[in-house]
Amino acid sequence: MAKTKTLKVKRSPADQAVQVIIYLIVAMAALLTVLPFIYIVAGSFATERELTERAFFLIPRTVSLNAYQYIFKTGDAINGLKNSIFVTLVGTLINMFFSCTLAYPLSRPYFKGRTFFTNMVIVTMLFSGGMVPTYIMVANVLHLRDTFWALWLPGAINPFNMIIIKNFFQGMPMELEEAARIDGCNDGQTFIKIILPLSKPVLASVSLFYAVTHWNSYFNAMMYISDKNKEVVQIVLRRIIFLTSAVTTESGFDWGPFGMPPEKAVKMATTVVATVPILLIYPFVQKYFTQGVMVGAVKG
């Protein structure tokens, strides 16, 4: 067999210069984005003296674990991480279940009342009942205070995310559904066996949106959760930061050779603890992220 030759397009010097400039701009933008986080991580391992003397650094001269010792010494942070992981996982599953099951019928052109129900969803993006009525409904009417359901049910469906899923479903060829019906599939089987397997990009993207929202859940957790054993990590870290200034060197805790951690280092360490776990999810959905959001946003 004859080998096929790949034609190489020869770029002009002007095109090459423009390409180099574009790469430099993108590299500088990426660097400016990453540098603050690197500084936060480095500062969380720094000593009080170094944080005072150096305005900015990427590698600490002396590595100190005192800030992390202070955060994890009581075990509240570990319990908060466990609660946050549980709330994020279960909450994301609840969100995706309700969002997908609502998005599918609204994406079908033969569904009666489709326009009315879609408009009702859009109205909730523009108007809300307000904080006080929502609290009364969740705490006094539904009696969900001090339960994780208070963090899951009020936001079971995010209208924006649901519409993204709906637009993605709507962009699928109707011939797929017709072929499934010819093979004897009902609506549920078509949805589970045909639609969902072909919707991995948008499902992964929207799942990430929901997961980040649950992980960063702070205000709702502060309003509805008073049981210390059910506190999420955001509430625990907030309390740790407030208590840092009240801790003295006479607290009876062995801080090691570097002494009690500075307040600034504790704040940086809490940022790392609250951010790194959710960042670990992104590499697994990165390949679906752009495709899912773009297709779901422009179809329909």
Side-chain angles (χ1 to χ4, degrees):
M1 294 179 61
K3 294 183 178 179
T4 57
K5 295 183 179 180
T6 303
L7 296 178
K8 294 184 178 180
V9 180
K10 188 176 181 180
R11 297 179 180 272
S12 65
D15 291 339
Q16 293 178 356
V18 171
Q19 190 174 20
V20 170
I21 293 174
I22 293 175
Y23 282 140
L24 288 176
I25 293 175
V26 173
M28 291 178 61
L31 188 62
L32 291 175
T33 304
V34 174
L35 280 179
F37 185 72
I38 297 178
Y39 170 66
I40 292 293
V41 175
S44 67
F45 290 99
T47 60
E48 182 176 9
R49 179 177 179 181
E50 187 168 7
L51 287 171
T52 304
E53 294 177 350
R54 302 174 67 186
F56 181 81
F57 56 89
L58 299 180
I59 300 178
R61 293 171 183 165
T62 305
V63 177
S64 170
L65 298 177
N66 287 359
Y68 292 96
Q69 284 182 304
Y70 176 64
I71 291 175
F72 291 105
K73 68 186 179 74
T74 62
D76 290 344
I78 297 294
N79 185 61
L81 284 172
K82 292 179 181 178
N83 290 335
S84 288
I85 292 173
F86 178 72
V87 168
T88 300
L89 291 177
V90 177
T92 302
L93 291 176
I94 292 174
N95 292 141
M96 293 304 296
F97 173 79
F98 286 108
S99 297
C100 291
T101 51
L102 177 60
Y104 179 62
L106 294 182
S107 67
R108 302 298 91 184
Y110 53 79
F111 177 66
K112 295 181 179 180
R114 168 191 176 194
T115 302
F116 171 78
F117 289 112
T118 301
N119 290 335
M120 290 296 293
V121 172
I122 294 175
V123 166
T124 64
M125 298 174 63
L126 306 175
F127 305 98
S128 65
M131 183 179 68
V132 174
T134 301
Y135 178 84
I136 294 175
M137 174 63 68
V138 173
N140 298 340
V141 178
L142 299 179
H143 302 290
L144 297 179
R145 184 173 175 81
D146 273 337
T147 67
F148 290 137
W149 290 105
L151 307 180
W152 295 330
L153 291 185
I157 297 178
N158 180 283
F160 178 77
N161 293 338
M162 192 281 296
I163 289 176
I164 290 179
I165 300 175
K166 167 189 166 294
N167 291 342
F168 190 95
F169 290 165
Q170 195 169 316
M172 290 185 174
M174 287 298 298
E175 290 77 8
L176 291 173
E177 186 169 342
E178 293 171 0
R181 291 185 182 278
I182 293 174
D183 291 336
C185 293
N186 55 32
D187 289 333
Q189 292 172 330
T190 302
F191 176 63
I192 295 174
K193 296 181 179 180
I194 305 296
I195 302 299
L196 290 183
L198 296 175
S199 304
K200 290 180 181 179
V202 73
L203 296 181
S205 301
V206 175
S207 294
L208 180 62
F209 293 159
Y210 278 128
V212 171
T213 300
H214 282 294
W215 184 264
N216 293 331
S217 177
Y218 163 74
F219 189 71
N220 286 343
M222 184 179 64
M223 284 200 306
Y224 300 126
I225 304 297
S226 58
D227 186 351
K228 191 174 181 180
N229 294 325
K230 295 181 180 179
E231 288 181 337
V232 296
V233 69
Q234 310 296 341
I235 301 299
V236 175
L237 296 180
R238 170 180 174 268
R239 184 172 65 250
I240 289 174
I241 292 176
F242 285 163
L243 293 177
T244 303
S245 58
V247 176
T248 65
T249 54
E250 299 177 358
S251 59
F253 184 77
D254 183 12
W255 297 109
F258 304 110
M260 190 186 71
E263 184 178 355
K264 190 174 182 180
V266 173
K267 291 181 179 179
M268 292 180 175
T270 56
T271 302
V272 174
V273 172
T275 306
V276 169
I278 197 66
L279 285 179
L280 297 178
I281 300 177
Y282 183 74
F284 297 100
V285 298
Q286 181 180 7
K287 62 180 180 179
Y288 300 114
F289 189 77
T290 304
Q291 181 184 356
V293 174
M294 292 302 296
V295 174
V298 301
K299 292 285 185 180

Tab-separated table of all heavy atoms in Angstrom, residues 8 15-16 19 26 68 76 81 84 90 102 109 116 118 125 135 180 196 209 221 223 261 269 271 273 282 284:
chain	number	residue	atom	x	y	z
A	8	LYS	N	2.081	19.556	4.681
A	8	LYS	CA	2.373	20.534	5.708
A	8	LYS	C	2.221	21.934	5.138
A	8	LYS	O	2.832	22.268	4.123
A	8	LYS	CB	3.788	20.334	6.252
A	8	LYS	CG	3.975	19.029	7.003
A	8	LYS	CD	5.376	18.940	7.594
A	8	LYS	CE	5.541	17.648	8.387
A	8	LYS	NZ	6.912	17.542	8.968
A	15	ASP	N	2.705	34.961	10.189
A	15	ASP	CA	1.816	34.033	10.887
A	15	ASP	C	2.509	33.392	12.084
A	15	ASP	O	1.900	33.210	13.147
A	15	ASP	CB	1.327	32.952	9.924
A	15	ASP	CG	0.376	33.500	8.871
A	15	ASP	OD1	-0.211	34.575	9.114
A	15	ASP	OD2	0.230	32.859	7.805
A	16	GLN	N	3.755	33.014	11.903
A	16	GLN	CA	4.515	32.421	13.004
A	16	GLN	C	4.693	33.400	14.158
A	16	GLN	O	4.599	33.034	15.336
A	16	GLN	CB	5.878	31.951	12.487
A	16	GLN	CG	5.797	30.792	11.497
A	16	GLN	CD	7.148	30.394	10.973
A	16	GLN	OE1	8.160	31.020	11.290
A	16	GLN	NE2	7.189	29.350	10.148
A	19	GLN	N	1.450	33.648	16.011
A	19	GLN	CA	1.219	32.452	16.818
A	19	GLN	C	2.056	32.477	18.095
A	19	GLN	O	1.574	32.105	19.173
A	19	GLN	CB	1.548	31.208	15.999
A	19	GLN	CG	1.123	29.908	16.668
A	19	GLN	CD	1.328	28.714	15.759
A	19	GLN	OE1	2.100	28.773	14.807
A	19	GLN	NE2	0.632	27.619	16.042
A	26	VAL	N	-1.397	33.622	26.207
A	26	VAL	CA	-2.105	32.548	26.914
A	26	VAL	C	-1.284	32.046	28.093
A	26	VAL	O	-1.810	31.791	29.191
A	26	VAL	CB	-2.432	31.398	25.944
A	26	VAL	CG1	-3.002	30.203	26.696
A	26	VAL	CG2	-3.411	31.851	24.867
A	68	TYR	N	-1.668	23.396	59.649
A	68	TYR	CA	-2.500	22.206	59.421
A	68	TYR	C	-2.703	21.426	60.713
A	68	TYR	O	-3.759	20.814	60.914
A	68	TYR	CB	-1.861	21.324	58.346
A	68	TYR	CG	-1.890	21.956	56.976
A	68	TYR	CD1	-0.794	22.656	56.484
A	68	TYR	CD2	-3.025	21.879	56.174
A	68	TYR	CE1	-0.825	23.250	55.230
A	68	TYR	CE2	-3.067	22.473	54.926
A	68	TYR	CZ	-1.958	23.156	54.455
A	68	TYR	OH	-1.999	23.752	53.222
A	76	ASP	N	-12.567	18.173	64.243
A	76	ASP	CA	-13.764	18.780	63.645
A	76	ASP	C	-13.622	18.926	62.136
A	76	ASP	O	-14.605	18.776	61.397
A	76	ASP	CB	-14.023	20.154	64.278
A	76	ASP	CG	-14.474	20.046	65.721
A	76	ASP	OD1	-14.868	18.935	66.139
A	76	ASP	OD2	-14.421	21.065	66.448
A	81	LEU	N	-15.143	17.486	56.669
A	81	LEU	CA	-14.835	16.985	55.329
A	81	LEU	C	-15.717	15.793	54.979
A	81	LEU	O	-16.219	15.686	53.855
A	81	LEU	CB	-13.356	16.603	55.240
A	81	LEU	CG	-12.354	17.747	55.128
A	81	LEU	CD1	-10.932	17.219	55.252
A	81	LEU	CD2	-12.518	18.495	53.805
A	84	SER	N	-19.162	17.095	54.240
A	84	SER	CA	-19.206	17.802	52.959
A	84	SER	C	-19.174	16.823	51.790
A	84	SER	O	-19.879	17.011	50.787
A	84	SER	CB	-18.043	18.785	52.849
A	84	SER	OG	-18.234	19.895	53.693
A	90	VAL	N	-24.454	12.892	47.609
A	90	VAL	CA	-25.896	12.624	47.614
A	90	VAL	C	-26.662	13.783	46.987
A	90	VAL	O	-27.598	13.581	46.204
A	90	VAL	CB	-26.387	12.355	49.046
A	90	VAL	CG1	-27.902	12.139	49.064
A	90	VAL	CG2	-25.676	11.142	49.640
A	102	LEU	N	-36.910	16.040	34.618
A	102	LEU	CA	-37.724	17.180	34.183
A	102	LEU	C	-37.304	17.658	32.798
A	102	LEU	O	-38.152	18.028	31.978
A	102	LEU	CB	-37.606	18.327	35.182
A	102	LEU	CG	-38.340	19.625	34.820
A	102	LEU	CD1	-39.841	19.365	34.664
A	102	LEU	CD2	-38.088	20.703	35.869
A	109	PRO	N	-40.904	17.506	21.629
A	109	PRO	CA	-41.869	18.408	20.980
A	109	PRO	C	-43.318	17.950	21.114
A	109	PRO	O	-44.234	18.762	20.990
A	109	PRO	CB	-41.418	18.400	19.512
A	109	PRO	CG	-40.642	17.136	19.343
A	109	PRO	CD	-39.984	16.888	20.663
A	116	PHE	N	-45.629	25.940	28.534
A	116	PHE	CA	-46.091	26.470	29.817
A	116	PHE	C	-45.144	26.088	30.949
A	116	PHE	O	-44.723	26.945	31.744
A	116	PHE	CB	-47.504	25.960	30.109
A	116	PHE	CG	-47.984	26.263	31.496
A	116	PHE	CD1	-48.431	27.537	31.823
A	116	PHE	CD2	-47.979	25.278	32.476
A	116	PHE	CE1	-48.862	27.814	33.114
A	116	PHE	CE2	-48.415	25.558	33.754
A	116	PHE	CZ	-48.857	26.833	34.075
A	118	THR	N	-42.037	25.064	30.767
A	118	THR	CA	-40.719	25.664	30.567
A	118	THR	C	-40.711	27.115	31.044
A	118	THR	O	-39.763	27.572	31.698
A	118	THR	CB	-40.315	25.597	29.080
A	118	THR	OG1	-40.300	24.233	28.657
A	118	THR	CG2	-38.937	26.190	28.873
A	125	MET	N	-36.140	31.620	37.744
A	125	MET	CA	-34.811	32.204	37.594
A	125	MET	C	-34.847	33.713	37.821
A	125	MET	O	-33.822	34.322	38.140
A	125	MET	CB	-34.254	31.909	36.198
A	125	MET	CG	-34.078	30.431	35.892
A	125	MET	SD	-33.576	30.132	34.183
A	125	MET	CE	-31.985	30.953	34.120
A	135	TYR	N	-36.878	30.146	54.681
A	135	TYR	CA	-36.476	29.576	55.975
A	135	TYR	C	-37.687	29.032	56.726
A	135	TYR	O	-37.629	27.952	57.319
A	135	TYR	CB	-35.774	30.634	56.822
A	135	TYR	CG	-35.373	30.130	58.183
A	135	TYR	CD1	-34.174	29.432	58.349
A	135	TYR	CD2	-36.189	30.322	59.289
A	135	TYR	CE1	-33.806	28.941	59.599
A	135	TYR	CE2	-35.833	29.843	60.532
A	135	TYR	CZ	-34.641	29.158	60.681
A	135	TYR	OH	-34.287	28.667	61.915
A	180	ALA	N	-35.993	3.480	18.818
A	180	ALA	CA	-36.171	2.775	20.086
A	180	ALA	C	-37.617	2.320	20.271
A	180	ALA	O	-37.873	1.215	20.771
A	180	ALA	CB	-35.749	3.688	21.239
A	196	LEU	N	-29.596	8.916	28.045
A	196	LEU	CA	-28.563	9.150	29.053
A	196	LEU	C	-27.165	8.706	28.611
A	196	LEU	O	-26.200	9.447	28.810
A	196	LEU	CB	-28.953	8.467	30.374
A	196	LEU	CG	-30.122	9.090	31.132
A	196	LEU	CD1	-30.342	8.369	32.447
A	196	LEU	CD2	-29.882	10.574	31.374
A	209	PHE	N	-21.105	21.334	38.103
A	209	PHE	CA	-21.727	22.559	38.607
A	209	PHE	C	-22.431	22.312	39.936
A	209	PHE	O	-22.270	23.074	40.901
A	209	PHE	CB	-22.745	23.097	37.590
A	209	PHE	CG	-22.133	23.593	36.310
A	209	PHE	CD1	-22.895	23.690	35.149
A	209	PHE	CD2	-20.801	23.959	36.242
A	209	PHE	CE1	-22.343	24.138	33.972
A	209	PHE	CE2	-20.235	24.412	35.067
A	209	PHE	CZ	-21.010	24.502	33.926
A	221	ALA	N	-26.048	26.030	55.086
A	221	ALA	CA	-25.577	25.214	56.208
A	221	ALA	C	-25.558	26.015	57.502
A	221	ALA	O	-25.870	25.488	58.577
A	221	ALA	CB	-24.186	24.675	55.897
A	223	MET	N	-27.579	28.491	58.232
A	223	MET	CA	-28.962	28.749	58.656
A	223	MET	C	-29.640	27.517	59.228
A	223	MET	O	-30.360	27.602	60.225
A	223	MET	CB	-29.782	29.273	57.467
A	223	MET	CG	-29.534	30.703	57.095
A	223	MET	SD	-30.905	31.390	56.110
A	223	MET	CE	-31.006	30.173	54.794
A	261	PRO	N	0.978	28.755	64.941
A	261	PRO	CA	0.901	29.259	63.565
A	261	PRO	C	0.298	30.655	63.524
A	261	PRO	O	-0.586	30.980	64.316
A	261	PRO	CB	-0.018	28.251	62.870
A	261	PRO	CG	-0.865	27.712	63.968
A	261	PRO	CD	0.031	27.665	65.174
A	269	ALA	N	-4.210	27.929	55.001
A	269	ALA	CA	-4.380	26.484	55.114
A	269	ALA	C	-5.854	26.093	54.993
A	269	ALA	O	-6.186	25.073	54.373
A	269	ALA	CB	-3.806	25.994	56.450
A	271	THR	N	-8.037	27.682	53.251
A	271	THR	CA	-8.350	27.816	51.823
A	271	THR	C	-7.934	26.572	51.055
A	271	THR	O	-8.663	26.075	50.192
A	271	THR	CB	-7.648	29.052	51.236
A	271	THR	OG1	-8.050	30.219	51.955
A	271	THR	CG2	-7.980	29.219	49.763
A	273	VAL	N	-7.510	23.484	52.308
A	273	VAL	CA	-8.343	22.355	52.727
A	273	VAL	C	-9.717	22.412	52.061
A	273	VAL	O	-10.282	21.381	51.674
A	273	VAL	CB	-8.488	22.342	54.264
A	273	VAL	CG1	-9.512	21.303	54.701
A	273	VAL	CG2	-7.136	22.060	54.921
A	282	TYR	N	-12.085	17.745	38.900
A	282	TYR	CA	-12.091	18.357	37.567
A	282	TYR	C	-11.363	17.543	36.511
A	282	TYR	O	-11.857	17.434	35.380
A	282	TYR	CB	-11.497	19.768	37.650
A	282	TYR	CG	-11.536	20.495	36.333
A	282	TYR	CD1	-12.727	21.003	35.833
A	282	TYR	CD2	-10.389	20.651	35.565
A	282	TYR	CE1	-12.779	21.667	34.621
A	282	TYR	CE2	-10.429	21.305	34.347
A	282	TYR	CZ	-11.619	21.813	33.886
A	282	TYR	OH	-11.665	22.444	32.682
A	284	PHE	N	-11.250	14.509	35.913
A	284	PHE	CA	-12.048	13.381	35.432
A	284	PHE	C	-13.179	13.822	34.502
A	284	PHE	O	-13.702	13.010	33.741
A	284	PHE	CB	-12.628	12.606	36.617
A	284	PHE	CG	-11.577	11.994	37.503
A	284	PHE	CD1	-11.210	12.606	38.689
A	284	PHE	CD2	-10.944	10.816	37.144
A	284	PHE	CE1	-10.236	12.047	39.511
A	284	PHE	CE2	-9.971	10.243	37.955
A	284	PHE	CZ	-9.615	10.864	39.138
